[in-house]
Amino acid sequence: MPSSRKPQRLVVLVSGSGTNLQSLIDAAQDPAYGAVVVAVGADRDDIEGLARAERAGIPTFVRTVKQFTSREHWDRALADTVAAFEPDLVVLAGFMKLVGEDFLDRFAGRTVNTHPALCPSFPGTNGPADALAYGVKVTGATLFVVDGGVDTGPIVAQAVVPVEDDDDVETLHERIKVAERDMLVENVGRLAREGITITDRKVRFGA
Ligand code: GAR
């Protein structure tokens, strides 16, 4: 059923190769998707994620922590820049920094992050390596609403991926990313078209 909501404005933040971003850019080509990527930001220069946005004609910006006198100033500048694009939703898609208080004050409840593990297991920046080292038989990816913790927010969706006996970190992460991209596209689309309600950490689609 086509959504009656106007297309939701997405600002996507990246730190690396941007394959998750690319999936969102591709999905948003279809007006029925219900969302458009209006800007892509990064915490570092010269990354493929920014190049993907540029090739798609999407405005980009970079705010590195080093450009600012403190982490708090960086966070405020990042939030100001994101706000200038008037997003309905902010998607952290491989963004390897924690956003701070200022950012969350501005975008609480409308910032989601994708993490390459099944939360609450293996939070942080090494989800696939930590899962492999622990010896789990399944892992996956989690889309969650960002809160003040490290990968602790209310869970929107999860995708499960098997761990194979001969996996190394790279093969496992690549398998996770295949499932992660599908999960991200499907659920960011639903978020845009339907909205969400959060009650006692439980996320349901629908306003
Ligand atoms: C993704 O697997 C994402 O979940 C992960 O980085 C990868 C980025 O891939 N993010 C984190 O680990 C954040 N804690 P991409 O740049 O190809 O989209």
Side-chain angles (χ1 to χ4, degrees):
M1 199 171 45
S3 166
S4 54
R5 287 157 69 109
K6 65 177 175 44
Q8 300 288 284
R9 297 171 62 82
L10 308 184
V11 170
V12 183
L13 301 183
V14 296
S15 298
S17 64
T19 64
N20 281 284
L21 163 68
Q22 186 69 55
S23 305
L24 289 172
I25 292 173
D26 294 346
Q29 298 300 310
D30 180 353
Y33 186 63
V36 286
V37 181
V38 295
V40 172
D43 63 328
R44 60 197 75 180
D45 294 297
D46 296 328
I47 55 171
E48 180 60 16
L50 289 170
R52 289 176 191 277
E54 280 155 19
R55 286 197 292 273
I58 297 167
T60 62
F61 58 89
V62 176
R63 297 289 178 275
T64 67
V65 172
K66 274 201 289 189
Q67 289 169 322
F68 299 91
T69 48
S70 70
R71 188 76 183 216
E72 288 71 28
H73 284 109
W74 169 78
D75 187 60
R76 200 169 311 143
L78 181 70
D80 285 344
T81 311
V82 169
F85 290 98
E86 302 182 345
D88 297 299
L89 200 58
V90 181
V91 181
L92 312 187
F95 189 60
M96 302 306 268
K97 290 272 186 313
L98 291 177
V99 294
E101 243 172 69
D102 261 303
F103 193 98
L104 285 174
D105 282 351
R106 308 271 279 274
F107 303 110
R110 52 195 177 109
T111 302
V112 292
N113 188 10
T114 178
H115 178 63
L118 294 175
C119 295
S121 294
F122 313 121
T125 53
N126 299 308
D130 292 345
L132 195 64
Y134 197 91
V136 293
K137 300 299 184 193
V138 293
T139 182
T142 302
L143 182 68
F144 62 92
V145 180
V146 176
D147 66 8
V150 180
D151 303 326
T152 51
I155 292 171
V156 179
Q158 293 186 300
V160 178
V161 167
V163 180
E164 307 292 354
D165 288 347
D166 58 354
D167 267 333
D168 58 25
V169 175
E170 201 176 317
T171 59
L172 179 59
H173 197 177
E174 280 311 310
R175 188 176 314 110
I176 291 169
K177 282 172 69 167
V178 172
E180 182 178 31
R181 290 189 284 265
D182 286 349
M183 177 197 70
L184 184 71
V185 165
E186 181 187 336
N187 288 283
V188 167
R190 284 196 71 183
L191 264 168
R193 295 187 300 273
E194 301 172 36
I196 48 168
T197 309
I198 306 175
T199 314
D200 298 333
R201 283 193 59 88
K202 309 218 178 29
V203 178
R204 307 257 183 278
F205 286 105

